[in-house]
């Protein structure tokens, strides 16, 4: 049973007019797909779009890494983000940027050392 709205493949029994309409419709879809692909490529090749794509990818990579580090604690970046934004706002208002950066580097170094030490203990 064939309806006018469905694709009629060449192997089916259909009138030549139905097959012609189906082929013309397939050709229109193909041309529209090619035109859409060309427009998408042209848009994606623009420098600002490429830069935005790179930033999105870098943000995704950093968030994935941070979520992987936070997974054992049962939290994620999205849970900690409001607290981090509040802390950053406080630091900016009090002009404590250098002190906060030093403290962050110190905490990061201690965390890295403890993680490395734990990894060595697990391997033995």
């Amino acid at each position: 049973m064939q309806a006018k709205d469905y694709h009629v493949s060449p192997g089916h029994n259909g009138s030549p007019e139905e097959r012609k309409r189906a082929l013309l419709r397939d050709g229109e879809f193909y041309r529209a797909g090619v035109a859409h692909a060309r427009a998408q490529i042209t848009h994606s090749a623009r420098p600002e779009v490429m830069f935005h794509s790179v930033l999105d990818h870098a943000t995704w990579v950093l968030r994935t890494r941070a979520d992987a580090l936070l997974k054992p604690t049962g939290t994620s970046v999205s849970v900690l983000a409001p607290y981090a934004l509040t802390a950053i706002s406080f630091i900016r208002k009090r002009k404590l940027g250098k002190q906060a950066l030093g403290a962050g580097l110190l905490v990061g170094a201690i965390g890295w050392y403890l993680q490395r030490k734990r990894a060595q203990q697990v391997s033995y």
Side-chain angles (χ1 to χ4, degrees), residues 109-121:
I110 291 170
W112 173 79
Y113 175 74
L114 292 175
Q115 185 178 10
R116 185 173 159 225
K117 187 176 176 182
R118 188 179 339 146
Q120 287 176 350
Q121 289 175 351

Side-chain angles (χ1 to χ4, degrees), residues 4-120:
K4 290 186 178 183
D5 292 337
Y6 296 115
H7 172 72
V8 180
S9 62
H12 287 84
N13 294 335
S15 69
E17 292 82 22
E18 287 177 346
R19 286 187 296 206
K20 183 178 178 180
R21 279 194 298 268
L23 287 173
L24 288 172
R25 190 171 48 250
D26 287 347
E28 286 295 321
F29 285 136
Y30 179 77
R31 281 191 289 281
V34 169
H36 179 71
R38 290 180 76 185
Q40 192 172 11
I41 289 169
T42 303
H43 175 73
S44 297
R46 294 171 52 200
E48 62 271 12
V49 174
M50 291 173 76
F51 181 69
H52 185 72
S53 177
V54 167
L55 284 180
D56 284 346
H57 183 72
T59 304
W60 178 81
V61 167
L62 291 174
R63 179 162 179 184
T64 303
R65 293 278 173 102
D67 279 339
L69 289 173
L70 294 171
K71 190 173 186 176
T73 64
T75 188
S76 68
V77 172
S78 60
V79 172
L80 297 177
Y83 301 111
L85 291 175
T86 302
I88 290 170
S89 174
F90 175 79
I91 290 167
R92 289 185 70 189
K93 285 179 185 175
R94 304 283 176 152
K95 299 187 190 281
L96 300 172
K98 291 180 184 177
Q99 295 86 345
L101 182 61
L105 287 174
L106 183 63
V107 168
I110 291 170
W112 173 79
Y113 175 74
L114 292 175
Q115 185 178 10
R116 185 173 159 225
K117 187 176 176 182
R118 188 179 339 146
Q120 287 176 350

